[in-house]
Amino acid sequence: MTTPPGSAARLTAPWLPAPAYFAVSAVFHYLGPAFAVVLFARVDVLGVVWLRIAAAAVVFALWRRPWRAIRHLGAEQRRTLLLLGVVLAAMNTTFYLAIARLPLATVGAIEFLGTIVLAAIGLRSRRNVIALVLAVGGVVALTDLQLTGAPLGLLFAFVNCALFMLYVVLGHRIANTGTGFSGIDQLGAAMLIAAVIAAPFCAAAAAPAFTSPATLLAGAAVGICSSVIPYVTDQLAMARLRRSTFALMLSILPAVATVIGIVVLAQIPTAQELAGVALIAAGVAVHQEPQEDKEN
């Protein structure tokens, strides 16, 4: 794949393999939310969502000055950024509403399921039928334990799953467009849009944090760990990987979520939950992308 001059790839270290950026993203993707769960005791869930998005928007504004990108982009590219901003706001909200009700490992497993399901349906081979069966079996194992206790949490988790798929598609698009601005600049613009969209629904709930400097600082740390480091490293990886390859690497997310849930939140998974995570990861590992797919 030829990388356009405006992509995030120019910010990467040529000697560092693309999967290394993804590994950093995977760790922080769940490390930040794990700390957010601890913060739920002081601030309402929607307030933590606002602190996450707003903190990330401030960081991107100071670091990248993303409004420069918006000013010079065409109408179609602006629509993409607007859609990505909406997705980021809704995805962060539904993700936090899910982890407030379900174990982090369960939400992490469901989060990337849509990618493998759609890919398996799109390529009707025996190998991908097996991948689909494994992935669906894993979700059944995970969700069966939650159907009676937290049905609303499951709803939020599956909505987040759909939004995460859109994030991957749109994120890969901005990482590989020759606009003269890197994907990180465009990501920063989308984060500013997300902050504006989320404000009417979440900002008021964050008010208690502004009376406690420690809580406000913790919220800012959650934003940096959750929406700056992982999204930036996603861009660095997406600029060097095909979308199908990046999606395949999402198989490590449930395992990372499980480990972080154990270490940070003391959420010890049951044997059934571990089996569900293993089945989903196996489904992604078995899934095979079409060899002729050179796009994205």
Side-chain angles (χ1 to χ4, degrees), residues 54 67 96 148 151 166 170 231-232 239 247 262-263 270:
W67 48 86
Y96 275 24
T148 56
L166 282 174
L170 295 171
Y231 292 167
V232 167
I262 293 171
V263 174
T270 65

Side-chain angles (χ1 to χ4, degrees), residues 188-216:
M191 191 61 69
L192 291 178
I193 294 170
V196 172
I197 292 172
F201 308 99
C202 304
F210 290 91
T211 63
S212 168
T215 302
L216 190 61

Side-chain angles (χ1 to χ4, degrees), residues 20-289:
Y21 295 109
F22 182 84
V24 173
S25 171
V27 170
F28 280 94
H29 188 80
Y30 293 114
L31 187 60
F35 292 138
V37 171
V38 178
L39 197 56
F40 289 163
R42 298 186 178 183
V43 182
D44 182 79
V45 176
L46 293 180
V48 178
V49 172
W50 168 245
L51 292 174
R52 168 181 173 165
I53 297 175
V58 169
V59 171
F60 279 117
L62 296 175
W63 176 33
R64 307 300 299 184
R65 290 180 290 173
W67 48 86
R68 297 177 303 168
I70 297 178
R71 212 167 46 227
H72 292 90
L73 295 179
E76 183 177 351
Q77 293 160 334
R78 290 182 181 182
R79 283 193 293 268
T80 297
L81 290 188
L82 177 61
L83 180 56
L84 181 57
V86 173
V87 167
L88 288 173
M91 181 178 72
N92 289 332
T93 302
T94 54
F95 181 75
Y96 275 24
L97 289 171
I99 64 174
R101 294 167 172 81
L102 297 173
L104 187 61
T106 301
V107 179
I110 293 173
E111 184 170 44
F112 80 98
L113 176 70
T115 305
I116 181 62
V117 171
L118 289 180
I121 293 175
L123 181 62
R124 301 179 185 278
S125 69
R126 181 178 302 177
R127 179 167 178 165
N128 284 347
V129 169
I130 295 173
L132 180 59
V133 170
L134 288 171
V136 170
V139 169
V140 170
L142 283 170
T143 58
D144 177 60
L145 299 176
Q146 308 295 337
L147 284 174
T148 56
L152 188 58
L154 282 176
L155 174 63
F156 287 132
F158 278 104
V159 172
N160 172 69
C161 168
L163 292 167
F164 186 68
M165 292 164 53
L166 282 174
Y167 160 72
V168 171
V169 172
L170 295 171
H172 199 276
R173 184 178 301 172
I174 67 171
N176 294 277
T177 53
T179 63
F181 291 92
S182 73
I184 295 174
D185 293 322
Q186 297 176 71
L187 171 65
M191 191 61 69
L192 291 178
I193 294 170
V196 172
I197 292 172
F201 308 99
C202 304
F210 290 91
T211 63
S212 168
T215 302
L216 190 61
L217 185 61
V222 166
I224 293 170
C225 289
S226 302
S227 292
V228 177
I229 296 175
Y231 292 167
V232 167
T233 48
D234 276 352
Q235 282 295 307
L236 297 176
M238 288 174 177
R240 298 175 61 183
L241 296 171
R242 291 186 303 176
R243 189 173 67 203
S244 58
T245 303
F246 183 86
L248 187 63
M249 292 175 65
L250 295 176
S251 60
I252 73 171
L253 290 183
V256 173
T258 300
V259 171
I260 291 177
I262 293 171
V263 174
V264 179
L265 302 173
Q267 294 177 343
I268 308 300
T270 65
Q272 182 172 339
E273 288 170 333
L274 286 174
V277 170
L279 283 172
I280 294 176
V284 178
V286 168
H287 166 68
Q288 185 178 43
E289 292 290 339

